[in-house]
Amino acid sequence: MKVLLTGSAGFIGSAIAVALEARGDEVVRVDAMLPVAHGAAAAPAGTHLLDVRDAGAWTDLRGVDAVCHQAALVGAGTDVADLPAYAAHNDLGTAALLAAMAGAGVDRLVLASSMVVYGEGRYSCTEHGRQDPPPRVRAELEAGEFDNRCPRCGAALAWQPVPEDAPLDPRSSYAASKVAQEHYARAWARQTGGSVVALRYHNVYGPGMPRDTPYSGVAALFRSSLERGEAPQVFEDGGQLRDFVHVVDVARANLGALDALEDRGTGKVAAYNVCSGVPISILEVAGLVALGSATPRCPVVTGGYRLGDVRHVVASPDLAARELGFRARIRPEAGLPDFATAPLRA
């Protein structure tokens, strides 16, 4: 298969390129090498230095069987001043790429999406069943009240795994742009008869992760604190739950999605959670990274918070297992201590 891979020099894109070439696929590597992600680094050998917003001028789509679209501006995106940048790179970039694919007759797309499209995760009350909590407010967070409460009785809500058919509820600039990418892809599929698999990544970590940039995840930030001889600083009470998935497993999920596109009829669109299936608290993440560190320190729970953060987002891995044959192989209790000494990108 000949695959055009956008964002090929990035953390996840690099892992996908290696996995594709290892099984004999031809990879057309494309990356804009944005300074916020790559600093002053030169493009890796064989990389086309191109911006997806200019995809209409590319000739690299000729003869391509499928596109694996990883290029995006990522990060928390909690400041509304970020909106134009996310809209330009993610929304416009994806729209331009889809238009170019239609013009070149390329009808298969794997799209990197994110768990952030869900907003808060799924919750239930023991008395009132499933509930959609409102966004947490500053006064509650200042008082150390971090759990979501039932809007009917005020009791603490219990988390549930989030399936792919959960309502989309973006709560940041980045999240809004990922929802927009999925919607553009869905419209493109309906108008052209193309097929799309959107992969909603949960918290990705592993070798090659960028160090101390807006693109770094919390596991990388914990690691950097340890390397400075400092204890990892954990927000809230440390009990917020997430799903951490290794980049090697994420690459495997992309290969499975590309293979699934070969079997799909025209106009088919599907979204899948890409996750480990192992819920883990942020305090546990900090502890596991510290466990593997050469300079271990016990994590410190600070009680700090960010208004844009959500309490719990834990994915259901079941649909990806059934339809893509994908289950993560690297569990957090093994991958996170190893990550403490894995090579990172500057």
Side-chain angles (χ1 to χ4, degrees), residues 3-18 20-21 27-52 58 68-72 74 206-211 213 215 247 343-346:
V3 179
L4 186 138
L5 174 63
T6 71
S8 61
F11 168 45
I12 296 173
S14 296
I16 295 170
V18 169
L20 285 168
E21 290 174 345
V27 182
V28 180
R29 300 178 183 233
V30 169
D31 203 295
M33 300 300 294
L34 295 177
V36 69
H38 300 282
T47 302
H48 299 268
L49 192 60
L50 298 169
D51 191 314
V52 289
W58 295 358
C68 187
H69 183 31
Q70 306 295 315
V74 302
M209 198 171 190
R211 180 191 297 274
T213 77
Y215 285 59
V247 69
L344 300 185
R345 288 193 294 142

Side-chain angles (χ1 to χ4, degrees), residues 186-200:
R186 187 175 296 274
W188 167 84
R190 287 174 175 162
Q191 292 172 331
T192 67
S195 297
V196 179
V197 170
L199 299 178
R200 293 172 179 166

